[in-house]
Every structure is written in C-alpha cells, then in structure tokens.
Amino acid sequence: MLWKLTAVSAAFLAALLTGTLSVAQAQDAASQDIDSGDESEPVPQPDELDSQEIGVLLGLSMGGNLSPGGVAFEGRYLYRMTELEWLETGVHFSLGSGGEECFRDRSGTFVCEHGLLDGFSAEGSVGLRKYFVGQQQFRPYARAGLGLQLVSFADDDIRGVGVPAYLGVGVRVEVANRVLVVADATMRAGVSFLNQDLGIEPNASLSVAAGVEFTLE
C-alpha cells in the first residue's frame, strides 16, 4: 500500500507543481510584454516591505502502513531572505485513529496494516519558500525542506523518530490588510526508526491544508 500511496502522491504533487510553474511562466511572459509595451498597467510585485509572517493551517494528512496520517494542524513562521525567497520554519501535527493493526505472521515477522488516517505524528521542520510573481492579490509558491518527526501508533505500542523531506506547492490570496488566505499540498518522504524490531521503515505521506497567514512587519 505504501508504494502505491507514494506513487499517487508523487504524481499528484508533480501535477500541482507543473500547473503552478506553468501559471508562473505565463505570468512572467505577460509581465515582460507589459514592460516592453504599455506602461500604464504596472506589473504586480511582491511587497518589499514585509519581513516576517506567521500562519496556521488545518487539513488532512494521508499516510498508510507505518506512516502516520489523520487530521493535520500546522503552524508556520516565515522570514524574508530575498525579494521572493523566505526561510520557513514550522510545526506539523497529525492525529489519526487507533486500533491494533499489527501482528506476527507464520514466519514470525512483525507486520502492520495501518490505514491512511491512522497513528500520530509531531514534526518540526525548516525549509525554503519560493514565491512566483502572481496576478493582483494571488501569489503561487513552492516550498521544500527537512523535518524531524515523532511517530506513534499507540495501540500497537509502536514509537519512533522519522526524518522526512518535504516538497509542496500552493497559492495564497490577500483578503485584508496583512491577512492572507493560503492553501497548499505537501508531499513528505523519508525514513522512520521504529521499535518492535521494525528498525528502519519508509515514511511517506501527502497533506492538503488551508489556513490563514498574517504579516507581522
């Protein structure tokens, strides 16, 4: 199941990333046309005055097997590095259902068959967010980074530490002064170090979330 989830998640994320990049390229081309022609329509540019932002998001994280999933909550802090690139740090929690889903087969191998929305995870991460020139209030972006994750399937007494990398795409829109609505999809992939003689196991999940971000200054 895990490899199927990974393949589907990668394809979904690739489609989103391709669409985001296509929009960004089209908008860049339009911007160049405007720059070389009619100067009465200014090209939208990111706010060069903002330097810090915070955000909260709520969504769904889909894992499977020994990758936790469930209702997802995320908090983010962003600090401007360049005009379009921001340092992004955050915390991410997923809370799924329980139930004993692990057993030993006839050969004595410890086998787990958790669903997409089982388990619990708590993660801290650091990465980079790259904005593309948007249209009016809309701004697409891509994000990538690394995380350190606590993994737990309590009913099966499975605990451990995960080290996932993440890649995501999204868009946000300004709805009020210093208030922006954001939505994105993020793919995580890496490994977990688990007890119960499981050792090193693959860790992959897909999260979709929406929320709000606030400009601090």
Side-chain angles (χ1 to χ4, degrees):
M1 176 181 291
L2 183 59
W3 71 268
K4 292 181 179 180
L5 172 65
T6 303
V8 172
S9 300
F12 178 67
L13 188 61
L16 285 175
L17 181 59
T18 300
T20 300
L21 292 176
S22 297
V23 171
Q25 291 171 353
Q27 291 167 347
D28 287 342
S31 298
Q32 293 175 1
D33 292 341
I34 294 176
D35 287 341
S36 61
D38 186 4
E39 298 182 356
S40 63
E41 299 182 13
V43 180
Q45 297 293 335
D47 190 343
E48 298 180 358
L49 300 179
D50 299 343
S51 62
Q52 298 183 68
E53 297 178 349
I54 59 172
V56 291
L57 294 89
L58 183 65
L60 194 65
S61 182
M62 294 166 284
N65 198 9
L66 290 169
S67 301
V71 176
F73 171 81
E74 188 165 354
R76 298 174 182 172
Y77 169 77
L78 296 106
Y79 182 81
R80 180 189 292 275
M81 299 175 60
T82 67
E83 182 180 2
L84 294 174
E85 296 174 344
W86 293 63
L87 177 69
E88 180 182 88
T89 59
V91 291
H92 179 274
F93 301 93
S94 66
L95 180 61
S97 58
E100 296 183 5
E101 301 293 344
C102 297
F103 59 92
R104 292 194 179 274
D105 61 16
R106 294 180 179 179
S107 65
T109 303
F110 195 67
V111 178
C112 294
E113 298 180 349
H114 297 108
L116 298 179
L117 305 178
D118 289 346
F120 168 82
S121 70
E123 176 187 315
S125 63
V126 59
L128 182 69
R129 181 187 292 191
K130 166 78 173 181
Y131 283 105
F132 303 99
V133 176
Q135 183 177 10
Q136 297 180 357
Q137 298 95 339
F138 291 89
R139 292 178 63 187
Y141 61 84
R143 52 192 295 265
L146 293 171
L148 183 63
Q149 186 181 77
L150 298 178
V151 176
S152 174
F153 294 91
D155 288 350
D156 288 304
D157 196 27
I158 294 175
R159 295 174 179 81
V161 176
V163 186
Y166 70 83
L167 176 65
V169 292
V171 65
R172 72 179 195 173
V173 57
E174 184 177 1
V175 295
N177 184 34
R178 297 182 179 272
V179 181
L180 306 104
V181 172
V182 60
D184 66 36
T186 301
M187 172 69 187
R188 288 175 170 81
V191 296
S192 294
F193 303 87
L194 304 173
N195 63 348
Q196 297 284 22
D197 297 325
L198 290 167
I200 301 176
E201 293 285 342
N203 185 335
S205 64
L206 173 67
S207 299
V208 290
V212 60
E213 293 181 345
F214 304 92
T215 298
L216 299 180
E217 60 178 48

